[in-house]
Amino acid sequence: PKWRGIFLEVLEPYILKDMLGSLPPEIMQALVEHYSGKGWLQRVEQCILHMDISSLDFNQVVRLCREHGLYGALIYLFNQGLNDFRTPLEELLSVIQNATRKDATSTCYRMLVYLKYCFQGLAFPPGHGTIPRAQLHAVRKELLQFMLEDSKMLTSEVFKGFSSSSGKCPNICYLLWMDTEATLEVVKCAFAQENFEPTSSTLDASVSKDEEDTDIESPDSQNILLQSVVDAIIHIVGLENEAIHSVVVGTAESEESELWPSVSDFGHIVEFVSFFVSYKRANASQRVLKHILKYLTSSTTSYDDKKMPPQKEVLQLFNVVPQTDWNSDYVLNLCLDAHFHQACGMIYTARNQNLAALDSYMKDTMEPYHAFIFINKKLLQLASDEALSFRSTVISRFAELVNLSRECAFVLVIDHFHDEIQQILAELHSDHCSLFLFLKTAIEVHLSGKLDFSELTARNYEIVESLYSGDLEDYLQRLSNLPKLFDRNPISMTDKLVELYLELLCQYEPRSVLKFLETFDSYRLERCLLLCLDYGVTDAAAFLQERVGDVASALELVLAGLDEKVNQFIASVENAFSRTSSKSISEIEQPDIVLNMSEARPVLDVLRSSIGLCQRNSQRLDPEESQLLWFQLVDNFSDPLKKLYGSKVVNGKGCWSVGGETTNGHPTGKGFSQKMVNSAYQRCLNTLRRVFSQFVGEIIEAMAGYIPLPAIMAKLLSDNGSQEFGDFKLVIHRMLSMYLYEKRILETAKSVIEDDSFYTLSLLKRGVCHGFAPQTFVCCVCNCSLSKEGAISAVRVFSCGHATHLHCESEQSKSSNKDFKDGCPVCLSMSDTQARNKSPILAENGLPKYPVVEHEVPYGVHHNHETDHVERSRGLHQMSRFEILNNLQKGQKSFHIETVPPLKLSPPAIYHEKIQKRVSLVGESSRHSVRSGKPQKIWHMKEPKSKKSGNWLPPKSSIFSSDKNQVQ
């Protein structure tokens, strides 16, 4: 038997990999018995699902599956082997009928899963393909009819309970009793909307038309089957009666008796029936509708995001059910008690009670746009006296409409009440909040020309489209024409309206006043300034003071209340240090962490606002006025720093206790000795000093570009002459660091420029020190040999390579009437000819453009200095740059532009080679020293290592000493 079991277990992987598709009946029986004996029922079931049914002994395998409860394999055998979908359902239902509720739970859910797969057209178990389309409708119909058939198990407790209450017990009652919600969801899958739509034209060509017709079920037949299911469920629950049925499963005296349906089960049944009735898929009587409406309007109704809200379901029912099928007075009372304002508005509208409908829609604050849709619709429909009455009612309640949606209310005014704008504003004066919202919307439209209607376009439920599709689409269409509407009916923003809005803005949104004044440009400065001052909006008042030119007053407004903000900031830092243990103090000791506290934000805002104010106005003010502004700012932030260095307590109130308790009430004890308290206090004081030194340093950094550094240093020394140097050591160290860094940059730039100029001029000087050699030994004037016999005249050689006799050159100059020009006569004549031939032509970019002559030879191209002189006796024909600069400086009249060669801004290649050699000699050490000499930040403030280091200033001669030594 041992080897027998091993042999059977070895077969499993081959079966699961579809390598062994069939087994003899004896081995199959032995495999099932062996695996069931060890409790491996799931494994043997998987083996059966992977085997070829045609090769199995069908009756034997079915018997084995029934005996051992392998219902998944049993379903597979009947579906795939016999194409039978009903028999497995009967098998599973018989198990449920003969078992207790606890034992039948797993079988019930297996049955529901099987039904769901069949209704969706999928084969069971999962992963075995789909049901052929030709028989899908027949399978659904067969299974649904089986569920509606009366149960044949007359002895079961479920049958007895349902039969006694409703008179009959269909097979579906067992599933409803086990899990009502899951059962109804599975039944919904059989009637899903996509299952009844005609198939697309992309079917396989092999499928015939007759086959398609048998595949698709007509909507009428589907609705008949669905109506049968709905009627059966209505009958089981007893919705046709005044009181619903209560089914007792088991004897009333027994402890295991259960009552069905529960409150939640009844809710699921009502929602199931209401769903199909609201979509016109099923019909319901007035009594059933009464039960549905009573349930939906009850306070016990609950829903989640996946379900439709109860009010939407009620509205959907109103939309599809005729008014004759429900009592409007009864339903109206239900909706009023449930606060279904949209449903009440629909009922009032059907009764033609427009004012009551408007009141109901305006109570719906969750979806306020329905009120505006209703108003827009009625204003277009009503006429004569009824329209005037409705318009007056809307105007009288306009404040409430603005509170509902200020954007929709503004559009309503522009579209329908443009002529009554003054009356509406007068009506809004009684409610300042509504007036503020309306004017705010008007300002937004005036500035941007658009409004935000995202709430209207973001519709979360499909029911909204079906209920309000026509009205909502019409309203959205009118909103899409807002730009044209604003152009046709503009609202002029007068100074009075702007000032009224500014006053309300100071009351309701004081933080938005400055932004409004910066973006809106049409207002009276004096009146707006008075409003800002009256309501204490200092930042906006400072902005207006700056606009009128009173910068000093603007700075005073910005700095107003700084002392109080500084005290709050210091107190918060002190409390943070006093509540923190000595081990954690280092975590909050850094200035960056302290500045992240919420109490530091007001101080930083004042600092940055005042710096920006001074920087914006320093250029247009006199130097004295600019200095006064900056020094006033420095004084306001220097005073707390002086107090921190001069006082023995942090905020002057003595918050650090020296007794047995700290300020927050915690005992010092052994863990909080006096030494530890003093250490924490000192570290807190040092942190605050660094923070305020950083504040003063930021001010000095900002003012350095506008105020001379000697003036800043004189200010600090004159105002703090009696103080110790250590009080402002960090600030002065910050200034000196900036000065030294800028000085180093200047000296480095100067050194680079001088080095470049020296090598460039030395190379030019070396080039012009060579002699000139003629190109040919023929005079370019008389074309005679320069060395002819008997020639007594001297010879002149030009830098261009031409040579002439002196007497030929003098004779040529006498024969010409032009002024004498120093230079080669050949090159000068060529340049004059080219200048005469050039005529300016307007180019595409609007600049004069000169045509190029074909035979023109630019100076220095044909007889290049760097090529010809190497080949011909080291002669130079270009004028040196030094000579050019000297001639320009002296302003000599004999110096002509035509003789000037084109200047090259870059030094010769020899210079670059020399520089590269120098860099290679210096090496990595030099580059490292240069980088290390430059601080990482201009204003990086460092703590001196010792007290002596604060008084040390490096001499000017030693700034670059380290670099030079390394180069050497």
Side-chain angles (χ1 to χ4, degrees):
K2 178 180 178 180
W3 304 112
R4 179 172 175 267
I6 294 176
F7 169 74
L8 294 174
E9 293 176 11
V10 169
L11 297 177
E12 181 185 359
Y14 295 96
I15 297 174
L16 295 179
K17 292 181 180 181
D18 298 325
M19 299 174 65
L20 189 61
S22 61
L23 290 175
E26 297 81 5
I27 298 179
M28 188 68 199
Q29 182 175 0
L31 179 68
V32 174
E33 292 177 354
H34 174 72
Y35 274 61
S36 61
K38 290 194 173 184
W40 298 343
L41 297 178
Q42 295 293 332
R43 295 171 62 178
V44 70
E45 188 174 25
Q46 293 296 321
C47 291
I48 296 175
L49 295 177
H50 283 269
M51 298 184 69
D52 186 11
I53 299 177
S54 61
S55 63
L56 298 175
D57 187 345
F58 187 83
N59 294 326
Q60 181 205 24
V61 177
V62 169
R63 178 179 56 80
L64 293 175
C65 291
R66 286 173 177 170
E67 292 176 358
H68 299 281
L70 306 178
Y71 297 110
L74 187 66
I75 294 173
Y76 171 75
L77 292 173
F78 276 98
N79 290 168
Q80 302 294 331
L82 302 178
N83 200 19
D84 184 0
F85 293 87
R86 179 187 172 106
T87 303
L89 208 59
E90 295 175 350
E91 295 281 348
L92 295 173
L93 184 62
S94 63
V95 175
I96 296 175
Q97 292 172 345
N98 296 320
T100 61
R101 181 168 186 173
K102 182 178 181 181
D103 297 336
T105 302
S106 60
T107 307
C108 172
Y109 287 114
R110 184 185 291 271
M111 183 177 178
L112 290 175
V113 172
Y114 170 63
L115 285 171
K116 184 176 181 180
Y117 270 71
C118 291
F119 290 153
Q120 292 179 345
L122 302 175
F124 187 87
H128 288 78
T130 60
I131 299 175
R133 293 178 59 86
Q135 65 178 118
L136 180 57
H137 163 57
V139 170
R140 289 197 187 112
K141 186 175 181 180
E142 182 183 15
L143 297 181
L144 287 171
Q145 288 178 349
F146 171 78
M147 295 176 67
L148 297 179
E149 291 178 359
D150 291 339
S151 176
K152 299 178 181 179
M153 184 61 64
L154 306 180
T155 58
S156 65
E157 297 293 337
V158 176
F159 177 84
K160 295 177 181 179
F162 278 90
S163 297
S164 61
S165 61
S166 59
K168 60 180 182 179
C169 179
N171 292 327
I172 195 175
C173 293
Y174 292 92
L175 299 177
L176 291 173
W177 170 63
M178 294 293 296
D179 193 333
T180 304
E181 182 181 8
T183 302
L184 295 177
E185 289 296 326
V186 170
V187 174
K188 272 187 179 182
C189 294
F191 302 100
Q193 189 68 32
E194 58 268 14
N195 291 336
F196 315 126
E197 295 179 356
T199 55
S200 61
S201 58
T202 59
L203 292 173
D204 196 316
S206 61
V207 180
S208 63
K209 187 176 185 303
D210 296 335
E211 197 174 9
E212 289 184 18
D213 294 337
T214 57
D215 170 32
I216 303 167
E217 187 175 2
S218 64
D220 294 337
S221 60
Q222 285 288 338
N223 291 336
I224 293 173
L225 188 59
L226 174 60
Q227 187 67 48
S228 302
V229 175
V230 171
D231 291 341
I233 294 176
I234 289 174
H235 181 75
I236 292 170
V237 182
L239 292 178
E240 292 286 357
N241 306 323
E242 289 294 335
I244 62 173
H245 296 158
S246 295
V247 179
V248 179
V249 179
T251 58
E253 295 80 8
S254 64
E255 297 180 356
E256 298 180 356
S257 63
E258 299 181 11
L259 187 65
W260 186 91
S262 63
V263 177
S264 59
D265 292 338
F266 178 75
H268 296 314
I269 292 174
V270 171
E271 290 174 359
F272 175 83
V273 176
S274 174
F275 175 79
F276 289 106
V277 172
S278 61
Y279 279 96
K280 297 183 180 181
R281 303 285 302 283
N283 297 321
S285 63
Q286 294 184 8
R287 191 163 291 175
V288 174
L289 289 174
K290 183 178 178 180
H291 281 292
I292 293 174
L293 292 173
K294 186 176 180 180
Y295 168 77
L296 293 176
T297 55
S298 63
S299 58
T300 58
T301 306
S302 60
Y303 68 96
D304 51 20
D305 296 337
K306 299 181 180 179
K307 295 182 180 180
M308 188 184 301
Q311 182 173 202
K312 301 299 182 182
E313 293 190 29
V314 173
L315 293 172
Q316 182 74 347
L317 289 173
F318 288 169
N319 198 33
V320 299
V321 178
Q323 296 183 11
T324 56
D325 292 349
W326 45 276
N327 188 349
S328 62
D329 294 332
Y330 173 75
V331 176
L332 180 61
N333 292 328
L334 291 177
C335 294
L336 288 174
D337 295 338
H339 302 288
F340 288 176
H341 303 297
Q342 294 181 32
C344 295
M346 183 174 287
I347 296 174
Y348 284 128
T349 303
R351 293 180 175 184
N352 202 22
Q353 298 177 358
N354 296 325
L355 299 182
L358 176 62
D359 183 70
S360 297
Y361 282 123
M362 291 179 63
K363 291 179 181 178
D364 187 7
T365 57
M366 298 300 295
E367 297 179 354
Y369 51 86
H370 292 298
F372 295 95
I373 294 175
F374 174 76
I375 294 173
N376 181 74
K377 181 180 179 181
K378 289 302 175 182
L379 288 175
L380 296 175
Q381 289 179 352
L382 299 178
S384 65
D385 297 339
E386 192 176 6
L388 293 176
S389 176
F390 187 77
R391 289 176 69 91
S392 61
T393 303
V394 171
I395 293 176
S396 63
R397 307 194 63 180
F398 206 82
E400 301 176 39
L401 291 174
V402 172
N403 290 327
L404 278 178
S405 176
R406 59 187 181 92
E407 295 88 357
C408 294
F410 183 79
V411 174
L412 183 63
V413 172
I414 296 296
D415 197 5
H416 296 283
F417 296 94
H418 187 264
D419 296 334
E420 294 93 343
I421 181 65
Q422 297 301 328
Q423 183 180 354
I424 292 176
L425 289 176
E427 191 71 30
L428 292 176
H429 270 284
S430 60
D431 189 347
H432 287 177
C433 182
S434 300
L435 179 61
F436 166 68
L437 293 176
F438 181 78
L439 292 178
K440 181 179 181 181
T441 309
I443 293 294
E444 290 178 357
V445 173
H446 180 77
L447 293 176
S448 62
K450 58 183 179 180
L451 290 174
D452 182 19
F453 292 100
S454 57
E455 294 182 358
L456 287 178
T457 56
R459 293 172 286 179
N460 298 327
Y461 303 104
E462 296 180 358
I463 190 67
V464 177
E465 299 182 4
S466 59
L467 291 177
Y468 306 100
S469 58
D471 299 337
L472 184 58
E473 293 300 331
D474 293 342
Y475 189 67
L476 291 176
Q477 181 64 30
R478 297 183 73 87
L479 293 181
S480 62
N481 297 325
L482 278 182
K484 297 180 181 179
L485 193 62
F486 292 154
D487 294 339
R488 187 171 66 251
N489 299 323
I491 292 182
S492 60
M493 299 305 298
T494 61
D495 293 339
K496 186 177 180 181
L497 284 179
V498 172
E499 292 165 4
L500 177 61
Y501 170 69
L502 180 62
E503 184 177 1
L504 295 172
L505 190 64
C506 293
Q507 298 177 24
Y508 293 100
E509 296 181 9
R511 294 183 177 272
S512 303
V513 177
L514 178 60
K515 182 179 180 181
F516 166 71
L517 294 174
E518 291 175 346
T519 55
F520 198 83
D521 53 357
S522 178
Y523 53 84
R524 294 182 291 187
L525 292 176
E526 295 77 6
R527 176 60 182 165
C528 294
L529 178 59
L530 291 176
L531 289 174
C532 294
L533 292 175
D534 292 341
Y535 288 97
V537 187
T538 55
D539 55 348
F543 171 76
L544 294 176
Q545 291 279 20
E546 184 182 0
R547 286 198 60 179
V548 299
D550 193 356
V551 185
S553 300
L555 184 61
E556 291 179 0
L557 288 175
V558 174
L559 296 176
L562 178 62
D563 295 338
E564 182 180 357
K565 297 174 183 177
V566 169
N567 291 334
Q568 293 178 357
F569 170 58
I570 294 177
S572 64
V573 175
E574 176 193 356
N575 292 333
F577 273 84
S578 63
R579 292 194 303 263
T580 307
S581 62
S582 59
K583 295 181 180 180
S584 303
I585 285 180
S586 58
E587 299 178 359
I588 63 172
E589 198 173 7
Q590 300 299 325
D592 294 339
I593 300 177
V594 173
L595 291 177
N596 287 330
M597 301 175 64
S598 59
E599 291 80 2
R601 180 59 53 189
V603 181
L604 290 173
D605 292 341
V606 172
L607 175 66
R608 290 161 185 169
S609 300
S610 55
I611 288 177
L613 176 65
C614 294
Q615 286 180 334
R616 288 192 301 270
N617 296 275
S618 293
Q619 295 291 346
R620 63 185 185 86
L621 293 177
D622 295 336
E624 294 79 8
E625 296 178 351
S626 179
Q627 286 190 11
L628 289 176
L629 285 178
W630 284 107
F631 290 162
Q632 180 184 357
L633 178 58
V634 172
D635 291 339
N636 278 271
F637 282 90
S638 297
D639 290 341
L641 185 59
K642 296 177 186 177
K643 295 177 182 178
L644 289 173
Y645 276 103
S647 62
K648 295 184 179 181
V649 293
V650 178
N651 58 2
K653 297 181 182 179
C655 295
W656 292 83
S657 174
V658 295
E661 290 185 357
T662 59
T663 55
N664 55 3
H666 297 291
T668 56
K670 296 182 180 179
F672 294 90
S673 62
Q674 185 62 38
K675 183 178 180 181
M676 294 173 61
V677 172
N678 293 335
S679 175
Y681 159 72
Q682 190 62 38
R683 298 175 75 172
C684 174
L685 194 61
N686 293 335
T687 301
L688 287 172
R689 288 172 181 172
R690 288 198 297 270
V691 170
F692 279 92
S693 297
Q694 183 174 340
F695 290 162
V696 178
E698 289 183 11
I699 299 173
I700 294 175
E701 176 185 1
M703 68 188 295
Y706 305 95
I707 307 298
L709 287 179
I712 301 175
M713 183 64 72
K715 168 67 178 177
L716 292 177
L717 296 179
S718 62
D719 292 349
N720 306 280
S722 60
Q723 304 290 333
E724 295 182 3
F725 177 71
D727 294 356
F728 285 89
K729 179 170 59 178
L730 298 178
V731 178
I732 296 175
H733 183 271
R734 197 180 181 103
M735 291 178 58
L736 294 178
S737 299
M738 180 195 67
Y739 171 73
L740 291 177
Y741 181 66
E742 291 182 351
K743 181 181 178 183
R744 177 168 296 180
I745 291 177
L746 181 61
E747 291 181 352
T748 304
K750 180 175 177 292
S751 174
V752 170
I753 293 173
E754 289 178 349
D755 190 53
D756 177 66
S757 301
F758 172 75
Y759 281 102
T760 303
L761 293 176
S762 64
L763 292 176
L764 292 175
K765 180 178 179 295
R766 186 185 306 170
V768 299
C769 289
H770 298 292
F772 295 159
Q775 297 178 9
T776 61
F777 292 96
V778 177
C779 176
C780 60
V781 177
C782 64
N783 291 328
C784 296
S785 176
L786 296 177
S787 59
K788 62 180 180 179
E789 297 180 359
I792 59 174
S793 175
V795 177
R796 174 181 291 184
V797 180
F798 296 95
S799 60
C800 61
H802 296 143
T804 61
H805 297 103
L806 285 180
H807 69 275
C808 295
E809 184 180 348
S810 59
E811 291 178 359
Q812 185 182 12
S813 61
K814 291 178 182 180
S815 61
S816 61
N817 298 327
K818 300 178 182 179
D819 296 336
F820 175 73
K821 295 181 180 179
D822 189 9
C824 176
V826 178
C827 297
L828 289 177
S829 61
M830 291 176 61
S831 62
D832 292 341
T833 304
Q834 294 170 4
R836 286 193 300 269
N837 292 335
K838 287 183 180 180
S839 59
I841 301 174
L842 191 63
E844 294 179 358
N845 55 3
L847 299 176
K849 178 179 178 182
Y850 295 89
V852 179
V853 183
E854 294 183 358
H855 300 286
E856 177 182 355
V857 182
Y859 190 90
V861 175
H862 210 56
H863 309 286
N864 194 287
H865 161 72
E866 298 175 359
T867 58
D868 292 345
H869 293 173
V870 176
E871 298 175 357
R872 301 183 184 89
S873 69
R874 302 176 59 88
L876 286 176
H877 64 273
Q878 283 191 342
M879 187 180 296
S880 66
R881 302 186 187 186
F882 186 75
E883 183 180 356
I884 294 171
L885 296 175
N886 281 337
N887 292 334
L888 289 173
Q889 184 177 6
K890 294 177 182 179
Q892 296 178 359
K893 296 183 179 180
S894 61
F895 186 74
H896 302 283
I897 299 298
E898 290 81 356
T899 62
V900 179
L903 293 177
K904 297 181 180 179
L905 299 182
S906 61
I910 305 175
Y911 169 70
H912 290 293
E913 295 175 359
K914 188 175 184 65
I915 293 299
Q916 291 176 0
K917 291 180 180 179
R918 291 181 60 197
V919 172
S920 62
L921 290 175
V922 172
E924 286 294 326
S925 61
S926 177
R927 291 196 298 270
H928 177 72
S929 63
V930 173
R931 286 197 301 267
S932 61
K934 176 182 176 180
Q936 294 180 355
K937 293 183 180 179
I938 298 178
W939 285 95
H940 186 65
M941 184 173 63
K942 301 178 181 177
E943 277 286 348
K945 294 182 179 180
S946 62
K947 294 183 178 180
K948 295 181 181 180
S949 62
N951 297 325
W952 177 80
L953 183 63
K956 177 180 179 181
S957 59
S958 63
I959 294 177
F960 287 94
S961 60
S962 60
D963 298 343
K964 294 181 180 179
N965 293 335
Q966 292 189 20
V967 172
Q968 293 175 2

